[in-house]
Each structure stands twice: as C-alpha cells, then as structure tokens.
Amino acid sequence: MSEENSRNINQNAEQEQDLNELMKVRIAKLKDLQEKGKDPFQIVKFDNKDNSKEIKEKFVDPVEGVEAPEVEVSMAGRLMAKRGHGKASFCDLQDMYGRIQIYVKLDEVGEESYEEFKKFDVGDIIGIKGVVFKTHMGEISIRVKEITLLSKSLRPLPEKFHGLKDMDLRYRQRYVDLIVNSEVKDTFIARSKIITGIRTFLNNKGYVEVDTPILNTIAGGASARPFVTHHNTLDIDMYLRIAPELYLKRLIVGGFHKVYEMGRLFRNEGMDIKHNPEFTTFELYSAYEDYNDMMDITEELFSTLAKDVCGDTKIDYQGTEIDLTPAWRRISMIDAIKEVTGADFNAANTDEEALKLAESIGVEVGDFKDRGHIINDVFEAKVEETLIQPTFIKDYPVEVSPLTKRKPSDPRLVERFELFIGGREYANAYSELNDPIDQKGRFMMQMAEREAGNDEANMIDDDFVQALEYGMPPTGGLGVGVDRLIMLLTNSYSIRDVLLFPTMKPLN
C-alpha cells in the first residue's frame, strides 16, 4: 500500500470517528427534548406562509421621520449558520427560494425558548415568526418573536468537514447536494420550466399529448439494446420501451393529426456524460407534413425556450457561444462529409467503392460494410464533432433509417435529419415511411442484421405493418432528447447534472 493511500485511509477513519461523535451529541439533544415532552418529530404542521425571496422583494425602506408599520412574517427552513453568543445571535435560514438572515434575541423570544435555541444545530429545520427589518449593514433580516424546532438533523452537513465536492458523492446523495450547493436547485427549477415550456409550445401548436405503453412486447421504434423483463401472469418476456414511435404513428393512422408524448425511455447501453440508461425525450408526429416542417418547428422550439429560460437566443455552453437564432444551417450527410474530409461518397456507388473511400481517409468501419453503414460510420468519425453551431444533417442512408421515407431523387437515401449542436446530437426526425410493403422489407433487413449480431437492430412489428396497410397519411415525426436540451440551456457539463437521481453503480 502506498504512503498516500495509507494517509487517505487514516484520514477517512478519523473523519468517520469525528462524525460519529457529533451524531452522538445530536442524538443526546434529541433524547433530552423527547424526555421533556418536546419531541420535534411529533410536530405535524407549521404556518409556512412566507418565503425568503418574497420577504426580501416586498421589503420597503422606511421614510425618514415616519414610523414604518411592522411587517409580520411566518416561515420555515433549514438553519445553515449561527453567529453570536450570549443573549443574541444572527443565523441564516434557508428555504427553497434562498437564504435570509434571522436575529434571535433572549428578550424577544423569552429565556426558555432562547436556551433551547442555543442547543439548535446547523442543519436543524425550524419555524419562526417575527418582523422584518434592515440591519445597520443594510441586510434585510427577520427579528424573531417565536421559534420552533420542527425537525432535528442528526447527521451534520458536509461543510462541517470539507464540503460536498466529490461529484460521485453528490450524485449519490442528491438530497445533501441540494442543501449545500444552491446552484443545483436552480438547475432543476430550470428543468421544470423547460419541460413546462415544451408542453406549452406544443399545446399551442395544436398537438395532443398522449400516453403509450412503457412495457412493450416488441422493442421497436429505434436502434437500441432494450432492457428485458418477464411478465409472470402472461409468462412472456417484455421490454422497457426504447421509443414510443410505433405507437404514436398508429394514432396518426387512427385519425389524430398532431400528437406528442414526453416521458422516460430505457436503453441498456453505455453510460457517459451524454448517456444514462433511463432518460427523458419527447416525440411528436404531424400528419401532412415532412422533415422540412420538422426542421422549422425544431428551430422555433429551441429558440423560444432559449429566450424564455436564458433571456436570449445566444447562449454560453461550456465556454462556447451558441447562436440558436433561426435559421440554422441545413446540409446533407454526404455533403458534410465532403466538406470536412474531401471524400465524395456520391461517387461511391458500390459497397466496395465506399469501403475503399473510407479507408483512404483513415476511417475504420464497423461490422456492417454496406455503403449506407460506411457513410454513417465516416460521418460519426470525422464530422459529428465539428458541428458546433446548430446544424441539421439531412438525407441519411436508407440502411441506417428503417422507418423513414426514401428521397424521390435518390432512393438510396431517406428524408431524415439529426440536429447537432456543440458536436452532440439533440434531435432526430423523418418524413415517416408510410408504405407498408417497403416497411415490411425494411423490417426484414433489420432482422437479418439482428441475426448477424446487431442486437440494436429493429424487431419485426407485424401489427405496425398491418396498421400501415389501413393507410397512414404523409407524416413528419420528430424526437428530441430533453435531458440534453436541458444541459444546453443550463450550461451543464454532464447528463447527471440535470437528472435528480442518475443511475449509479451500488457501492456494495
């Protein structure tokens, strides 16, 4: 064992011992209160009618020479700091909206209450009633008249040691992270605002929000590895959904013109700063529209949210200015590859020619060596990371787009786009394939890929094909990664920063 590891182990052991001693003291204080019939855990309610933000906003400086009326307030929160000794103390009280200073004086609350207050610990949850005033230092504060212990904190907050800085620990103990790192709460308030904004935007456009099954008998609608579970009563394997697409398009067949769904998807794949096994998306489908209309609504949605949340369509993301002002660049996948590498896959008409061209620019292709997969591999290897400003990459190879309508001008390609910002994908959209014969053929191609070892390829959904046989109108469809959109608009580095409880490997 290295000297550094040994030192860290000893330091951790000392910290754990200190923590245990502090907890023993706090537990003893709780027992003393319980023996006196003042158990804080028996309190069921408090008149929490005011909050720190509104108290500060509503405060009016008194006019010189005019006695200002006392403004009485009642609020609750967590005790975050105590300053002072003797017969008066200043403290910081934290609620959901921020912190406010409170002034607790023996003459105001009475000797018995003040003696109890002196035993309060940082982290305790208290309720206060008092009047608002401004200190000589100009800080809006509350002069406490009544104070009540509402919940005893038995475990000290981490700043008593070295603060909660370790990111892994912050994700595991989000409840503590929210207490001691106030900016984290701001991110999740923004998340709520963004999700509400998406719904408001789509509802105003005439879209109907719907719910489709999360447990599926077929994992379809995307190329991804599913989570598998088992239904005991039916005695069948089922899949947590990887996408709601095929159900939503059934609704278009059924006569809905505009539908959307926002919710969780589940993909049994890798984890990194962009991926979590469960994540939030929304998908929308609009009859009688195509992928160009989907580009228009994507631009409008992103720019609207940016103005609502950030105040401007020009935002900072990790030190780079991103301009979300419409209209965004639109370029085909093949043209984007040519622009970055000089390789023109329009001139590669066979699988062999495409493979040779990829090798000439130093791209090692994957297991599937048809022209379409090769073009997609080259794009991901050479182009994706260069797309910093919002860019619609359109006209994908048919081999990697099994649910998309072919381009009339080149049936080897489909009317599909993905949106890239800062080198990351944010949206995926199609002119939806509504030809049931072509769709069945694409499913057969996907099954061949599955049999060849691609466990992310689509399964055959015969019921969906049957739905298309009844007739689906020309339709545009769009899917947006909500978590990534929130990362962009809150300047968050990792997807874990915008998930309250990200998936973590158990410690034991």
Side-chain angles (χ1 to χ4, degrees):
M1 181 184 299
S2 69
E3 181 178 342
E4 182 179 355
N5 286 341
S6 178
R7 185 164 56 249
N8 288 338
I9 290 172
N10 291 335
Q11 186 179 36
N12 290 338
E14 290 174 2
Q15 290 178 2
E16 186 67 26
Q17 184 177 358
D18 290 343
L19 175 62
N20 290 336
E21 291 302 317
L22 287 171
M23 289 187 67
K24 287 179 181 178
V25 172
R26 293 190 176 208
I27 292 170
K29 290 180 181 179
L30 173 63
K31 288 182 177 178
D32 182 58
L33 288 169
Q34 290 170 333
E35 289 171 358
K36 293 177 179 177
K38 296 184 177 182
D39 186 351
F41 298 125
Q42 295 297 315
I43 297 174
V44 297
K45 187 177 180 179
F46 182 81
D47 184 18
N48 185 34
K49 65 184 182 68
D50 300 298
N51 66 68
S52 60
K53 182 181 179 188
E54 289 183 349
I55 290 171
K56 292 177 180 178
E57 289 176 346
K58 292 179 179 179
F59 181 80
V60 177
D61 282 311
V63 178
E64 187 175 350
V66 178
E67 186 175 350
E70 288 191 340
V71 177
E72 296 184 351
V73 294
S74 177
M75 68 168 288
R78 191 180 295 272
L79 193 60
M80 296 301 293
K82 292 178 71 177
R83 301 176 294 279
H85 301 284
K87 298 181 179 181
S89 299
F90 282 100
C91 309
D92 291 338
L93 189 61
Q94 177 174 293
D95 63 6
M96 177 177 174
Y97 305 95
R99 291 190 186 188
I100 191 166
Q101 181 172 261
I102 65 173
Y103 178 58
V104 186
K105 189 177 181 182
L106 184 149
D107 293 345
E108 298 279 359
V109 300
E111 185 174 352
E112 182 179 354
S113 289
Y114 193 78
E115 288 303 313
E116 292 175 356
F117 158 75
K118 288 200 299 184
K119 297 178 182 178
F120 290 178
D121 293 299
V122 169
D124 287 351
I125 296 174
I126 65 173
I128 63 163
K129 295 182 180 180
V131 296
V132 186
F133 74 106
K134 183 179 280 189
T135 67
H136 295 302
M137 300 298 292
E139 184 170 355
I140 298 170
S141 307
I142 302 171
R143 180 180 291 107
V144 177
K145 301 291 186 181
E146 297 179 29
I147 187 165
T148 306
L149 181 63
L150 302 176
S151 181
K152 184 66 185 171
S153 173
L154 301 182
R155 182 177 290 269
L157 294 174
E159 66 260 32
K160 296 292 289 185
F161 299 104
H162 304 289
L164 193 65
K165 303 298 183 185
D166 180 83
M167 291 308 299
D168 184 78
L169 186 60
R170 288 176 63 181
Y171 297 142
R172 292 181 187 279
Q173 297 183 7
R174 182 67 84 187
Y175 42 90
V176 183
D177 190 25
L178 290 166
I179 295 170
V180 301
N181 296 309
S182 60
E183 70 280 0
V184 174
K185 192 183 281 94
D186 295 337
T187 295
F188 290 103
I189 291 173
R191 179 187 178 97
S192 178
K193 184 175 181 180
I194 292 165
I195 289 174
T196 299
I198 293 170
R199 285 195 163 99
T200 299
F201 178 89
L202 295 179
N203 292 344
N204 290 340
K205 291 285 186 182
Y207 285 84
V208 177
E209 184 172 12
V210 298
D211 296 303
T212 63
I214 292 177
L215 279 176
N216 296 168
T217 54
I218 293 173
S223 297
R225 185 181 298 113
F227 285 94
V228 185
T229 186
H230 189 79
H231 192 291
N232 292 333
T233 300
L234 296 178
D235 193 25
I236 58 171
D237 283 344
M238 299 189 77
Y239 307 91
L240 292 178
R241 70 177 178 190
I242 57 175
E245 177 171 342
L246 301 187
Y247 283 107
L248 293 173
K249 288 197 281 194
R250 285 174 169 92
L251 297 180
I252 300 295
V253 172
F256 282 91
H257 283 190
K258 292 177 180 285
V259 296
Y260 78 96
E261 180 172 15
M262 190 182 313
R264 291 280 187 170
L265 303 185
F266 307 85
R267 298 183 181 179
N268 195 358
E269 299 171 344
M271 296 170 59
D272 55 34
I273 61 170
K274 298 181 291 184
H275 297 92
N276 193 69
E278 58 174 310
F279 56 99
T280 301
T281 69
F282 76 83
E283 290 194 16
L284 64 83
Y285 293 85
S286 182
Y288 311 108
E289 295 188 345
D290 67 3
Y291 76 147
N292 292 300
D293 298 297
M294 298 299 101
M295 293 186 212
D296 293 341
I297 197 171
T298 303
E299 284 181 345
E300 187 180 352
L301 172 63
F302 275 55
S303 61
T304 297
L305 291 172
K307 284 185 283 189
D308 290 347
V309 176
C310 306
D312 196 347
T313 54
K314 293 182 179 179
I315 64 172
D316 174 75
Y317 185 72
Q318 301 296 301
T320 299
E321 183 180 87
I322 302 295
D323 189 354
L324 297 174
T325 308
W328 301 344
R329 190 177 189 217
R330 305 179 182 191
I331 183 173
S332 73
M333 177 178 280
I334 288 176
D335 287 345
I337 291 173
K338 183 178 179 180
E339 187 177 90
V340 173
T341 70
D344 185 3
F345 280 88
N346 281 317
N349 294 311
T350 67
D351 297 345
E352 292 75 17
E353 289 173 345
L355 181 60
K356 185 176 180 180
L357 188 56
E359 291 173 344
S360 73
I361 56 175
V363 175
E364 184 176 342
V365 302
D367 296 332
F368 299 94
K369 294 181 170 53
D370 55 81
R371 179 177 179 272
H373 278 93
I374 291 168
I375 292 172
N376 191 65
D377 287 345
V378 171
F379 170 78
E380 290 181 350
K382 293 292 188 177
V383 182
E384 191 170 316
E385 66 182 11
T386 71
L387 303 172
I388 304 305
Q389 296 305 319
T391 304
F392 292 117
I393 296 294
K394 61 189 184 115
D395 303 341
Y396 278 54
V398 67
E399 291 88 347
V400 296
S401 310
L403 300 169
T404 313
K405 185 169 288 191
R406 295 176 191 264
K407 284 184 68 67
S409 60
D410 187 348
R412 298 176 301 178
L413 304 177
V414 295
E415 293 194 345
R416 172 188 176 186
F417 76 77
E418 288 184 305
L419 167 63
F420 290 90
I421 305 172
R424 294 178 179 178
E425 177 211 339
Y426 283 82
N428 188 19
Y430 315 148
S431 295
E432 301 297 335
L433 179 59
N434 61 344
D435 178 345
I437 297 173
D438 192 357
Q439 182 64 81
K440 184 63 176 283
R442 306 269 195 101
F443 277 149
M444 297 298 292
M445 290 172 57
Q446 289 285 295
M447 278 305 296
E449 283 194 24
R450 288 187 70 84
E451 291 169 359
N454 183 4
D455 56 3
E456 294 187 358
N458 280 230
M459 300 177 181
I460 296 176
D461 189 334
D462 289 318
D463 182 76
F464 177 65
V465 174
Q466 178 176 291
L468 293 183
E469 289 171 348
Y470 282 97
M472 185 177 84
T475 299
L478 167 69
V480 173
V482 173
D483 301 311
R484 290 189 185 178
L485 174 55
I486 294 168
M487 289 169 62
L488 179 69
L489 297 181
T490 60
N491 195 17
S492 298
Y493 174 71
S494 169
I495 192 171
R496 293 182 175 187
D497 296 329
V498 299
L499 298 176
L500 278 168
F501 300 102
T503 303
M504 304 291 291
K505 184 178 181 179
L507 291 174
N508 297 319

